[in-house]
Amino acid sequence: MKRALVTGGAGFLGSHLCARLLAEGYEVVALDNLYTGSKDNLAAFAGNSAFSLVERDVCEAKTDDFGAFDEIYSLACPASPVHYQARPLFTALTSVKGILFCLELARRDGSKLIHASTSEIYGDPLVHPQPESYCGNVNTIGVRSCYDEGKRMAETLVADSIREYGVDVRMVRIFNTYGPRMHPQDGRVISNFAMQALTGRDITVFGDGSQTRSFQYCDDLIEFFRRYAAVGKSGIREFFAARKLGAPVLNAGNPAEFTILELAQKTLAAIPGSKSKIVMRPLPSDDPKKRKPDISLAKELLGWEPEVALDEGLAKTIDYFKTRI
Ligand code: NAD
Ligand code: UDP
């Protein structure tokens, strides 16, 4: 039986990944301190002897406490601006110490490591859409920096661990991803708008709503993870060396781009009878003006494209939030 470790396994994406790995016959260990994750997300695996949860801060985790894994997925890190900004030093350290722990474990046992990086690497991008070769436009001292720079440092640690020790790592720059099991009070835009529209509260559009995002449904991302993990180490090395990228890094996102105002209108349209109205609130500082992935490399290497359109994914997500009111 193959063994996988998922740090951040009790979170929104981590729990979907655990479910997929269990369905594929893996033994799965989730490591999570439950900062933004929840045991509720793992309820479906209670009683499954192939699953276990280690409740621990990844910054305190010791490799000696763990046996060998075939695959390690590094997801531990708060992802919502509200939560990562509430504890900025913790956020930055989680990114750095979390990936160091995973790199050490992967190096010791020759495991494959798949690291959840982010489109925030690109900051407020000056290139649109964003290809992996774009180095980004990031403020080092703003309120988003704890997350952005923590994740950028994690990418550097990965790239140097590959160069120095030949560790088998693949990085995924994840663009805004949503779906069932997002926390209803998560603070991110899809959960906020859906919960507001379902409970008749004002829908809070920040700024004038002209900023854009590209929304990816969670199932598309999990499929991406699995295809990326399935590529052999030499295939990965050759593909990225031929494209002169310093390390294996792929964008994962849905290139369909929407303004935040359009998202608010779509959310209202998906909930007929909602009494909510759209209101404008101040734009948080350093909020990226636009974001859209160039996914040509993922198409080429993995034959992957997102399949779930926003209207379909939004309807499934709203159905989930109805159960959480
Ligand atoms: P999430 O907040 O639901 O999940 C993060 C999980 O990590 C939670 O279960 C949390 O309790 C756990 N965690 C946080 N700090 C920890 C620590 N120090 N030790 C142990 N566990 C810790 O968020 P998510 O959307 O599922 O994101 C998962 C990963 O994907 C994160 O690394 C995030 O940066 C990345 N990502 C997500 C998105 C997205 O749109 N969902 C976009 C880009 C990147
Ligand atoms: N946003 C909004 N209203 C909300 C929450 C977020 O208008 O209640 C905006 C936010 O300013 C940003 C976009 O929606 O422009 C996406 O925000 P989110 O926090 O989901 O993720 P980000 O991409 O900013 O990390």
Side-chain angles (χ1 to χ4, degrees), residues 28-111:
V28 178
V29 177
L31 185 161
D32 203 298
N33 68 349
L34 305 180
Y35 174 52
T36 50
S38 153
K39 285 186 186 170
D40 291 348
N41 288 338
L42 308 173
F45 332 133
N48 184 339
S49 59
F51 178 78
S52 56
L53 169 67
V54 176
E55 240 180 278
R56 194 165 306 165
D57 191 317
V58 73
C59 303
E60 311 296 331
K62 304 269 180 292
T63 51
D64 286 350
D65 294 342
F66 295 87
F69 294 97
D70 299 280
E71 291 165 22
I72 299 168
Y73 293 84
S74 155
L75 273 72
C77 187
S80 154
V82 172
H83 292 291
Y84 72 63
Q85 289 171 26
R87 292 182 63 192
L89 297 179
F90 163 81
T91 299
L93 287 175
T94 291
S95 267
V96 171
K97 291 189 173 178
I99 192 62
L100 282 174
F101 163 73
C102 292
L103 284 165
E104 202 181 321
L105 204 54
R107 182 181 163 205
R108 184 191 73 188
D109 299 323
S111 327

Coordinates of all heavy atoms in Angstrom, one line a residue, residues 28-111:
V28 N -3.2 7.2 4.2 CA -3.0 8.7 4.3 C -2.8 9.2 5.7 O -3.6 8.8 6.6 CB -4.2 9.4 3.6 CG1 -4.0 10.9 3.7 CG2 -4.4 9.0 2.2
V29 N -1.8 10.0 5.9 CA -1.6 10.7 7.2 C -1.8 12.2 6.9 O -1.1 12.7 6.1 CB -0.2 10.4 7.8 CG1 0.0 11.2 9.1 CG2 0.0 8.9 8.0
A30 N -2.7 12.8 7.7 CA -2.9 14.2 7.6 C -2.2 14.8 8.8 O -2.4 14.3 9.9 CB -4.3 14.6 7.6
L31 N -1.4 15.9 8.6 CA -0.8 16.6 9.7 C -1.3 18.0 9.7 O -1.3 18.7 8.7 CB 0.8 16.7 9.5 CG 1.6 17.3 10.6 CD1 3.1 16.8 10.4 CD2 1.6 18.8 10.6
D32 N -2.0 18.4 10.8 CA -2.7 19.7 10.8 C -2.8 20.2 12.2 O -3.0 19.4 13.2 CB -4.1 19.5 10.2 CG -4.6 20.8 9.6 OD1 -4.8 21.7 10.4 OD2 -4.9 20.9 8.4
N33 N -2.7 21.5 12.4 CA -2.9 22.1 13.8 C -4.3 22.6 14.0 O -4.6 23.3 15.0 CB -1.8 23.1 14.1 CG -2.0 24.4 13.2 OD1 -2.8 24.4 12.3 ND2 -1.3 25.4 13.5
L34 N -5.1 22.5 12.9 CA -6.5 22.9 13.0 C -6.7 24.4 13.1 O -7.7 24.9 13.7 CB -7.3 22.1 14.1 CG -7.2 20.6 14.0 CD1 -8.0 19.9 15.1 CD2 -7.7 20.1 12.6
Y35 N -5.7 25.2 12.7 CA -5.8 26.7 12.7 C -7.0 27.1 11.9 O -7.9 27.9 12.4 CB -4.5 27.3 12.3 CG -4.6 28.8 12.2 CD1 -5.1 29.6 13.3 CD2 -4.2 29.5 11.0 CE1 -5.2 31.0 13.2 CE2 -4.3 30.9 11.0 CZ -4.8 31.6 12.0 OH -4.9 33.0 11.9
T36 N -7.0 26.7 10.6 CA -8.2 27.0 9.8 C -8.9 25.8 9.3 O -10.0 25.8 8.8 CB -7.8 27.9 8.5 OG1 -6.7 27.2 7.9 CG2 -7.4 29.3 8.9
G37 N -8.3 24.6 9.6 CA -8.9 23.4 9.2 C -9.8 22.9 10.3 O -9.9 23.5 11.4
S38 N -10.5 21.7 10.0 CA -11.5 21.3 11.0 C -11.6 19.7 10.9 O -11.5 19.2 9.8 CB -12.8 22.0 10.7 OG -13.9 21.2 11.1
K39 N -11.9 19.1 12.0 CA -12.1 17.7 12.0 C -13.4 17.4 11.2 O -13.6 16.3 10.7 CB -12.2 17.1 13.4 CG -10.9 17.0 14.0 CD -11.0 16.3 15.4 CE -9.6 16.3 16.1 NZ -9.7 15.9 17.5
D40 N -14.3 18.3 11.1 CA -15.5 18.1 10.3 C -15.2 17.8 8.9 O -15.9 17.0 8.2 CB -16.4 19.4 10.3 CG -17.0 19.7 11.6 OD1 -17.0 18.8 12.5 OD2 -17.6 20.8 11.8
N41 N -14.1 18.4 8.4 CA -13.7 18.1 7.0 C -13.3 16.7 6.8 O -13.2 16.2 5.6 CB -12.5 19.0 6.6 CG -13.0 20.5 6.4 OD1 -14.2 20.7 6.2 ND2 -12.0 21.4 6.5
L42 N -12.9 16.0 7.9 CA -12.4 14.6 7.8 C -13.5 13.6 8.2 O -13.2 12.4 8.3 CB -11.2 14.5 8.7 CG -10.1 15.6 8.5 CD1 -9.0 15.5 9.6 CD2 -9.5 15.4 7.1
A43 N -14.7 14.1 8.5 CA -15.7 13.2 9.0 C -15.9 12.0 8.1 O -16.2 10.9 8.6 CB -17.0 14.0 9.2
A44 N -15.8 12.2 6.8 CA -16.1 11.1 5.9 C -15.1 9.9 6.1 O -15.4 8.8 5.7 CB -16.1 11.6 4.5
F45 N -13.9 10.2 6.6 CA -12.9 9.1 6.8 C -12.8 8.5 8.2 O -12.0 7.7 8.5 CB -11.5 9.6 6.4 CG -11.4 10.7 5.4 CD1 -10.6 11.8 5.7 CD2 -12.1 10.7 4.3 CE1 -10.5 12.9 4.8 CE2 -12.1 11.7 3.3 CZ -11.3 12.8 3.6
A46 N -13.7 9.0 9.1 CA -13.7 8.5 10.5 C -13.9 7.0 10.4 O -14.9 6.6 9.7 CB -14.7 9.2 11.3
G47 N -13.2 6.2 11.0 CA -13.4 4.8 11.0 C -12.6 4.1 9.8 O -12.6 2.9 9.7
N48 N -12.0 4.9 8.9 CA -11.3 4.3 7.8 C -9.8 4.0 8.4 O -9.1 5.0 8.7 CB -11.2 5.3 6.6 CG -10.5 4.7 5.4 OD1 -9.7 3.8 5.6 ND2 -10.8 5.2 4.3
S49 N -9.4 2.8 8.4 CA -8.2 2.5 9.1 C -7.0 2.9 8.2 O -5.8 3.0 8.7 CB -8.1 0.9 9.3 OG -8.2 0.3 8.1
A50 N -7.2 3.3 7.0 CA -6.1 3.8 6.1 C -5.8 5.3 6.4 O -4.9 5.8 5.8 CB -6.5 3.5 4.7
F51 N -6.7 5.9 7.2 CA -6.5 7.3 7.4 C -6.2 7.6 8.9 O -6.7 7.1 9.8 CB -7.8 8.1 7.1 CG -7.7 9.6 7.3 CD1 -7.0 10.4 6.5 CD2 -8.2 10.1 8.5 CE1 -6.8 11.7 6.7 CE2 -8.0 11.5 8.7 CZ -7.3 12.3 7.8
S52 N -5.2 8.6 9.1 CA -5.0 9.1 10.5 C -4.7 10.5 10.4 O -4.1 11.1 9.4 CB -3.9 8.3 11.2 OG -2.7 8.3 10.4
L53 N -5.0 11.2 11.5 CA -4.7 12.6 11.7 C -3.7 12.8 12.8 O -3.9 12.3 13.9 CB -6.0 13.4 12.1 CG -5.8 14.9 12.5 CD1 -5.3 15.7 11.3 CD2 -7.1 15.4 13.1
V54 N -2.6 13.5 12.5 CA -1.6 13.9 13.5 C -1.9 15.4 13.8 O -1.7 16.2 12.9 CB -0.2 13.7 13.0 CG1 0.8 14.2 14.1 CG2 0.1 12.2 12.7
E55 N -2.4 15.7 15.0 CA -2.7 17.1 15.3 C -1.4 17.8 15.8 O -1.0 17.5 16.9 CB -3.7 17.1 16.4 CG -5.0 17.8 16.0 CD -6.0 17.7 17.1 OE1 -6.7 16.7 17.3 OE2 -6.1 18.8 17.8
R56 N -0.8 18.5 14.9 CA 0.5 19.1 15.3 C 0.8 20.3 14.4 O 0.4 20.4 13.2 CB 1.6 18.1 15.1 CG 2.9 18.5 15.7 CD 3.9 17.3 15.8 NE 3.3 16.1 16.4 CZ 3.7 14.9 16.4 NH1 4.8 14.6 15.7 NH2 3.1 13.9 17.0
D57 N 1.5 21.3 15.0 CA 2.0 22.4 14.2 C 3.1 21.9 13.3 O 4.1 21.4 13.8 CB 2.4 23.5 15.1 CG 2.7 24.9 14.4 OD1 3.3 24.8 13.3 OD2 2.3 25.9 14.9
V58 N 3.1 22.2 12.0 CA 4.1 21.7 11.1 C 5.5 22.4 11.5 O 6.5 21.8 11.2 CB 3.7 22.0 9.6 CG1 3.9 23.5 9.3 CG2 4.6 21.1 8.7
C59 N 5.4 23.5 12.1 CA 6.7 24.2 12.6 C 7.4 23.4 13.7 O 8.6 23.6 13.9 CB 6.4 25.6 13.0 SG 5.6 26.7 11.9
E60 N 6.6 22.6 14.4 CA 7.2 21.8 15.5 C 7.4 20.4 15.1 O 7.9 19.6 15.9 CB 6.2 21.8 16.7 CG 5.7 23.1 17.1 CD 6.8 24.1 17.6 OE1 7.8 23.5 18.2 OE2 6.6 25.3 17.5
A61 N 7.0 20.0 13.9 CA 7.1 18.6 13.5 C 8.5 18.1 13.3 O 9.4 18.8 12.9 CB 6.3 18.4 12.2
K62 N 8.8 16.8 13.8 CA 10.1 16.3 13.7 C 10.1 15.1 12.7 O 9.2 14.2 12.9 CB 10.6 15.8 15.1 CG 10.5 16.8 16.2 CD 11.9 17.5 16.3 CE 11.9 18.6 17.4 NZ 11.0 19.8 17.1
T63 N 11.1 15.0 11.8 CA 11.0 13.9 10.9 C 11.1 12.5 11.6 O 10.6 11.6 11.1 CB 12.2 14.1 9.9 OG1 13.4 14.3 10.6 CG2 12.0 15.3 8.9
D64 N 11.8 12.5 12.7 CA 12.0 11.2 13.4 C 10.7 10.6 13.8 O 10.6 9.4 14.1 CB 12.9 11.4 14.7 CG 14.3 11.6 14.3 OD1 14.7 11.4 13.1 OD2 15.1 12.0 15.2
D65 N 9.6 11.4 13.9 CA 8.3 10.9 14.4 C 7.6 10.3 13.2 O 6.4 9.8 13.4 CB 7.5 12.1 14.9 CG 8.1 12.6 16.2 OD1 8.9 11.9 16.8 OD2 7.8 13.8 16.6
F66 N 8.1 10.3 12.0 CA 7.4 9.8 10.9 C 8.2 8.8 10.1 O 9.4 8.9 10.0 CB 7.0 11.0 9.9 CG 6.1 12.0 10.5 CD1 6.6 13.0 11.3 CD2 4.7 11.9 10.4 CE1 5.7 13.9 11.9 CE2 3.8 12.8 11.0 CZ 4.4 13.8 11.7
G67 N 7.5 7.7 9.6 CA 8.1 6.7 8.8 C 8.2 7.3 7.3 O 7.9 8.5 7.1
A68 N 8.5 6.4 6.4 CA 8.7 6.9 5.0 C 7.4 7.0 4.3 O 6.5 6.2 4.5 CB 9.6 5.9 4.3
F69 N 7.3 8.0 3.5 CA 6.1 8.2 2.6 C 6.5 8.1 1.1 O 7.6 8.5 0.8 CB 5.4 9.5 2.9 CG 4.9 9.7 4.2 CD1 5.6 10.3 5.2 CD2 3.6 9.2 4.5 CE1 5.1 10.4 6.5 CE2 3.1 9.3 5.8 CZ 3.8 9.9 6.8
D70 N 5.6 7.6 0.3 CA 5.9 7.6 -1.1 C 5.7 9.0 -1.7 O 6.5 9.4 -2.5 CB 5.0 6.6 -1.9 CG 5.1 5.2 -1.4 OD1 6.1 4.6 -1.9 OD2 4.4 4.8 -0.5
E71 N 4.7 9.7 -1.2 CA 4.4 11.0 -1.6 C 4.1 11.9 -0.5 O 3.4 11.5 0.5 CB 3.2 11.0 -2.6 CG 3.4 10.3 -3.9 CD 2.2 10.0 -4.7 OE1 1.1 10.6 -4.5 OE2 2.3 9.1 -5.5
I72 N 4.6 13.1 -0.5 CA 4.3 14.1 0.5 C 3.7 15.4 -0.2 O 4.2 15.8 -1.2 CB 5.6 14.6 1.2 CG1 6.3 13.3 1.9 CG2 5.4 15.7 2.2 CD1 7.7 13.6 2.3
Y73 N 2.6 15.8 0.4 CA 1.9 17.0 -0.2 C 2.0 18.1 0.9 O 1.5 17.9 2.0 CB 0.4 16.7 -0.5 CG 0.3 15.7 -1.6 CD1 0.4 14.3 -1.4 CD2 0.1 16.2 -2.9 CE1 0.3 13.4 -2.5 CE2 0.0 15.3 -4.0 CZ 0.1 13.9 -3.7 OH 0.0 13.0 -4.8
S74 N 2.6 19.2 0.5 CA 2.8 20.3 1.5 C 1.8 21.4 1.3 O 1.9 22.2 0.4 CB 4.3 20.8 1.2 OG 4.4 22.2 1.7
L75 N 0.8 21.4 2.1 CA -0.4 22.3 2.0 C -0.6 23.2 3.3 O -1.4 24.0 3.3 CB -1.7 21.6 1.7 CG -2.0 21.3 0.2 CD1 -1.1 20.2 -0.3 CD2 -3.4 20.9 0.1
A76 N 0.1 22.8 4.3 CA -0.1 23.5 5.6 C 0.2 25.0 5.5 O 1.3 25.4 5.3 CB 0.7 22.9 6.7
C77 N -0.8 25.9 5.6 CA -0.6 27.3 5.6 C -2.0 27.9 5.5 O -2.8 27.5 4.6 CB 0.2 27.8 4.4 SG 0.6 29.6 4.5
P78 N -2.3 28.9 6.3 CA -3.6 29.6 6.1 C -3.6 30.3 4.8 O -2.6 30.8 4.4 CB -3.7 30.6 7.3 CG -2.3 30.7 7.8 CD -1.6 29.5 7.4
A79 N -4.8 30.2 4.1 CA -4.8 30.7 2.7 C -5.7 32.0 2.5 O -5.6 32.7 1.6 CB -5.3 29.6 1.8
S80 N -6.6 32.2 3.5 CA -7.5 33.3 3.4 C -6.8 34.6 3.9 O -6.2 34.5 5.0 CB -8.7 33.1 4.2 OG -9.3 34.3 4.6
P81 N -6.8 35.7 3.2 CA -6.2 36.9 3.7 C -6.6 37.3 5.1 O -5.8 37.7 5.9 CB -6.6 38.0 2.7 CG -6.8 37.2 1.4 CD -7.4 35.9 1.8
V82 N -7.8 37.1 5.4 CA -8.3 37.4 6.8 C -7.5 36.6 7.8 O -7.0 37.1 8.8 CB -9.8 37.1 7.0 CG1 -10.2 37.3 8.4 CG2 -10.6 38.0 6.1
H83 N -7.4 35.3 7.6 CA -6.7 34.4 8.6 C -5.2 34.6 8.5 O -4.5 34.5 9.5 CB -7.1 33.0 8.4 CG -8.6 32.8 8.7 ND1 -9.0 32.9 10.0 CD2 -9.6 32.6 8.0 CE1 -10.3 32.7 10.0 NE2 -10.7 32.5 8.8
Y84 N -4.6 34.7 7.3 CA -3.1 34.8 7.3 C -2.7 36.1 7.8 O -1.6 36.2 8.4 CB -2.5 34.4 6.0 CG -2.6 35.3 4.7 CD1 -2.1 36.6 4.7 CD2 -3.2 34.8 3.6 CE1 -2.2 37.4 3.6 CE2 -3.3 35.6 2.4 CZ -2.8 36.9 2.4 OH -2.9 37.6 1.3
Q85 N -3.5 37.2 7.7 CA -3.1 38.5 8.2 C -3.3 38.6 9.7 O -2.8 39.5 10.4 CB -3.8 39.6 7.4 CG -3.3 39.7 6.0 CD -4.1 40.7 5.1 OE1 -4.8 41.6 5.6 NE2 -4.1 40.4 3.8
A86 N -4.2 37.7 10.2 CA -4.5 37.8 11.7 C -3.2 37.4 12.5 O -3.0 37.8 13.6 CB -5.7 36.9 12.0
R87 N -2.4 36.5 11.9 CA -1.2 36.0 12.6 C -0.1 36.0 11.6 O 0.4 34.9 11.1 CB -1.5 34.6 13.1 CG -2.5 34.6 14.3 CD -2.7 33.2 14.8 NE -1.4 32.7 15.4 CZ -1.2 31.4 15.8 NH1 -2.2 30.5 15.6 NH2 -0.1 31.0 16.3
P88 N 0.4 37.2 11.2 CA 1.4 37.3 10.1 C 2.7 36.5 10.3 O 3.2 35.9 9.4 CB 1.6 38.8 9.9 CG 1.1 39.4 11.1 CD 0.0 38.5 11.7
L89 N 3.3 36.6 11.5 CA 4.5 36.0 11.8 C 4.4 34.4 11.7 O 5.2 33.7 11.1 CB 5.1 36.4 13.1 CG 5.5 37.9 13.2 CD1 6.1 38.1 14.6 CD2 6.5 38.3 12.2
F90 N 3.3 34.0 12.3 CA 3.0 32.5 12.2 C 2.8 32.1 10.7 O 3.3 31.0 10.3 CB 1.7 32.3 13.0 CG 1.0 31.0 12.7 CD1 1.4 29.8 13.3 CD2 -0.1 30.9 11.8 CE1 0.8 28.6 13.0 CE2 -0.8 29.7 11.5 CZ -0.3 28.6 12.1
T91 N 2.2 32.9 9.9 CA 2.0 32.6 8.5 C 3.3 32.4 7.8 O 3.6 31.4 7.1 CB 1.1 33.7 7.8 OG1 -0.2 33.7 8.5 CG2 0.9 33.4 6.4
A92 N 4.2 33.4 7.9 CA 5.5 33.4 7.2 C 6.3 32.2 7.7 O 6.9 31.5 6.9 CB 6.2 34.7 7.5
L93 N 6.3 32.0 9.0 CA 7.1 30.9 9.5 C 6.5 29.5 9.1 O 7.3 28.6 8.9 CB 7.2 31.0 11.1 CG 8.1 32.1 11.6 CD1 8.1 32.2 13.1 CD2 9.5 31.9 11.1
T94 N 5.2 29.4 9.1 CA 4.6 28.2 8.6 C 5.0 27.8 7.2 O 5.4 26.7 6.9 CB 3.0 28.3 8.7 OG1 2.6 28.4 10.0 CG2 2.4 27.1 8.0
S95 N 5.1 28.8 6.3 CA 5.5 28.6 5.0 C 6.9 28.1 4.9 O 7.2 27.1 4.3 CB 5.4 29.9 4.1 OG 4.2 29.9 3.5
V96 N 7.8 28.7 5.7 CA 9.2 28.4 5.6 C 9.5 27.1 6.4 O 10.1 26.2 5.8 CB 10.0 29.6 6.2 CG1 11.5 29.2 6.3 CG2 9.9 30.8 5.3
K97 N 9.1 27.0 7.6 CA 9.4 25.8 8.4 C 8.6 24.6 7.9 O 9.1 23.5 7.9 CB 9.1 26.0 9.9 CG 10.0 27.0 10.6 CD 9.8 27.0 12.1 CE 10.8 27.9 12.8 NZ 10.6 27.9 14.2
G98 N 7.4 24.9 7.4 CA 6.6 23.8 6.9 C 7.3 23.1 5.7 O 7.3 21.9 5.6
I99 N 7.8 23.9 4.8 CA 8.4 23.3 3.6 C 9.8 22.7 4.0 O 10.2 21.6 3.4 CB 8.5 24.3 2.4 CG1 8.9 23.5 1.1 CG2 9.6 25.4 2.6 CD1 7.9 22.5 0.6
L100 N 10.5 23.3 4.9 CA 11.8 22.7 5.3 C 11.5 21.3 5.9 O 12.3 20.3 5.6 CB 12.5 23.6 6.4 CG 13.2 24.8 5.8 CD1 13.7 25.7 6.9 CD2 14.3 24.4 4.9
F101 N 10.5 21.1 6.7 CA 10.2 19.8 7.3 C 9.9 18.8 6.2 O 10.4 17.7 6.2 CB 9.0 19.9 8.2 CG 8.3 18.6 8.6 CD1 8.9 17.7 9.4 CD2 7.1 18.3 8.0 CE1 8.3 16.5 9.7 CE2 6.5 17.1 8.3 CZ 7.1 16.2 9.1
C102 N 9.1 19.2 5.2 CA 8.7 18.3 4.1 C 10.0 18.0 3.2 O 10.1 16.8 2.8 CB 7.6 18.9 3.2 SG 6.1 19.1 4.1
L103 N 10.8 19.0 3.0 CA 12.0 18.7 2.2 C 12.9 17.7 2.9 O 13.5 16.9 2.3 CB 12.7 20.1 1.9 CG 12.1 21.0 0.9 CD1 12.7 22.4 1.0 CD2 12.3 20.4 -0.5
E104 N 13.1 17.9 4.2 CA 14.0 17.0 5.0 C 13.4 15.6 4.9 O 14.2 14.6 4.7 CB 14.0 17.5 6.4 CG 15.2 17.1 7.2 CD 15.1 17.6 8.6 OE1 14.7 18.8 8.9 OE2 15.5 16.9 9.6
L105 N 12.1 15.4 5.1 CA 11.5 14.1 5.0 C 11.7 13.5 3.6 O 12.0 12.3 3.5 CB 10.0 14.3 5.4 CG 9.3 13.1 6.0 CD1 9.9 12.5 7.2 CD2 7.8 13.5 6.3
A106 N 11.4 14.3 2.6 CA 11.5 13.8 1.2 C 12.9 13.4 0.9 O 13.2 12.4 0.2 CB 11.0 14.8 0.3
R107 N 13.9 14.2 1.4 CA 15.3 13.9 1.1 C 15.7 12.6 1.8 O 16.4 11.8 1.2 CB 16.1 15.1 1.5 CG 17.6 15.0 1.2 CD 18.3 16.2 1.8 NE 19.8 15.9 1.8 CZ 20.6 16.4 2.6 NH1 20.2 17.4 3.4 NH2 21.9 16.1 2.6
R108 N 15.3 12.5 3.0 CA 15.7 11.3 3.8 C 15.2 10.0 3.1 O 16.0 9.0 3.0 CB 15.1 11.4 5.2 CG 15.5 10.2 6.1 CD 14.6 10.2 7.4 NE 13.3 9.7 7.1 CZ 12.3 9.7 8.0 NH1 12.5 10.2 9.2 NH2 11.1 9.3 7.7
D109 N 14.0 10.0 2.6 CA 13.4 8.8 2.1 C 13.3 8.7 0.6 O 12.8 7.7 0.0 CB 12.0 8.6 2.7 CG 12.1 8.5 4.2 OD1 13.0 7.9 4.7 OD2 11.2 9.1 4.9
G110 N 13.7 9.7 -0.1 CA 13.6 9.7 -1.6 C 12.1 9.8 -2.0 O 11.7 9.3 -3.1
S111 N 11.3 10.5 -1.2 CA 9.8 10.6 -1.6 C 9.6 11.7 -2.6 O 10.5 12.6 -2.8 CB 9.0 11.0 -0.4 OG 9.6 10.5 0.8

